[in-house]
Amino acid sequence: QLISGIADAARVEAARSVKEIEDGARAEAEMRANPLIGIAVQRKENQFTSLTNAYARSFRELAGRAAKKQGIDLKEGVYAAMTGPSYETPAEIKMLRTIGADSIGMSTVFEVIAANFLGMKVLALNVIANAAADRHGGVMKHTEVLAAMKQAAPKVVRLLQGIIEECGNFSS
């Protein structure tokens, strides 16, 4: 299972850089829900999904090899999820940075939880589309995100092609 998303850089990252997610954090007070609520209790066993290897180390290593072969600087980081559809406030960014977030977005973590619940191994990537609210220097606009994604697309395609090639050499 490959999951990707768009994120703000909580730490100093270049726009249009690609980051491999090594771990995720949910701001539960903000999100108010886990995608497994009401579903997990229907199981007789294994109602509590372990997320200790939610972002499969073996897949992250595979992506790292692919990135190296493609000449792409792929960093790992912790991704924090917030609900949208709004950008985070500077105070929220500060809070998330304090708990270890390197990038922040409005998706990904929910999908990773559901995929792990279903027994899937996950590789998650995100493209850093813009600086975080406290470093942005102006009103945040979706057009900036779209422009950054358009610029990052060739790099992301090369990386995904490299990952697919590496899959031919992979055994879990």
Side-chain angles (χ1 to χ4, degrees):
Q1 176 74 19
L2 173 66
I3 298 174
S4 62
I6 302 167
D8 301 336
R11 308 220 184 262
V12 179
E13 296 286 342
R16 296 169 302 284
S17 62
V18 181
K19 185 172 285 277
E20 180 178 69
I21 302 171
E22 66 177 310
D23 205 354
R26 292 166 283 163
E28 289 292 346
E30 164 68 14
M31 299 177 85
R32 296 179 186 87
N34 180 309
L36 305 182
I37 292 173
I39 296 171
V41 296
Q42 295 176 21
R43 286 185 172 176
K44 292 182 183 197
E45 297 178 359
N46 302 320
Q47 293 178 351
F48 299 95
T49 300
S50 173
L51 297 174
T52 54
N53 192 30
Y55 304 84
R57 179 176 302 281
S58 57
F59 284 3
R60 293 190 341 253
E61 291 169 354
L62 181 145
R65 289 192 305 273
K68 187 174 182 179
K69 287 179 182 178
Q70 296 290 332
I72 296 170
D73 183 22
L74 183 64
K75 294 178 173 50
E76 283 195 342
V78 175
Y79 177 90
M82 300 284 283
T83 57
S86 59
Y87 294 105
E88 300 75 30
T89 68
E92 290 167 336
I93 296 296
K94 183 177 179 181
M95 171 193 70
L96 294 166
R97 203 177 281 131
T98 300
I99 65 168
D102 297 301
S103 58
I104 300 147
M106 299 177 208
S107 184
T108 306
V109 173
F110 293 120
E111 294 91 337
V112 170
I113 293 168
N116 276 262
F117 176 75
L118 295 171
M120 297 178 187
K121 288 185 178 182
V122 174
L123 170 64
L125 306 170
N126 65 334
V127 176
I128 305 301
N130 56 308
D134 63 339
R135 296 183 176 155
H136 188 269
V139 176
M140 298 179 82
K141 299 177 183 164
H142 190 59
T143 54
E144 295 170 336
V145 172
L146 295 174
M149 295 307 296
K150 187 174 183 177
Q151 286 183 308
K155 183 191 308 184
V156 173
V157 168
R158 275 195 352 262
L159 178 57
L160 292 174
Q161 288 171 334
I163 290 170
I164 291 166
E165 289 172 14
E166 279 295 311
C167 286
N169 304 322
F170 180 75
S171 62
S172 59

